Amino acid sequence: MSQKTFDIANLSENLIDFLSELEERTEVLLTREGVPLAKVMPLPMEQPATSKVGLNYEAMVMSDDFDEPLPDSFWGL
């Protein structure tokens, strides 16, 4: 990823250029009199959520008696 530098003293004059660089996926280094202050990075491109049927197929196993009542000994009765 490329990088561009902007001095904060001139940032208001170059705001459109600053935002354009971010839109073009460019990292921007903000400086004050040549001293680095911050790095502004564009957010990662989001990919559409995809559902994969059967991704974890049979990852969870349920016993045959899952819905049977628990014995009284479980409840301490």
Side-chain angles (χ1 to χ4, degrees):
M1 188 177 290
S2 59
Q3 187 177 38
K4 182 87 177 197
T5 302
F6 286 88
D7 192 293
I8 62 169
N10 304 323
L11 191 57
S12 62
E13 299 163 10
N14 299 315
L15 186 58
I16 292 175
D17 294 334
F18 170 77
L19 295 174
S20 294
E21 293 295 335
L22 289 175
E23 287 177 342
E24 293 174 15
R25 317 298 305 151
T26 304
E27 290 182 2
V28 177
L29 182 65
L30 297 177
T31 62
R32 177 183 289 147
E33 297 176 2
V35 178
L37 296 176
K39 184 186 290 187
V40 181
M41 300 174 64
L43 291 173
M45 299 294 285
E46 290 188 31
Q47 296 182 4
T50 57
S51 174
K52 295 183 180 179
V53 177
L55 180 63
N56 291 319
Y57 184 70
E58 293 184 346
M60 183 175 75
V61 179
M62 194 175 306
S63 66
D64 294 333
D65 64 349
F66 170 77
D67 56 352
E68 296 294 321
L70 293 168
D72 288 342
S73 61
F74 176 83
W75 302 106
L77 299 176

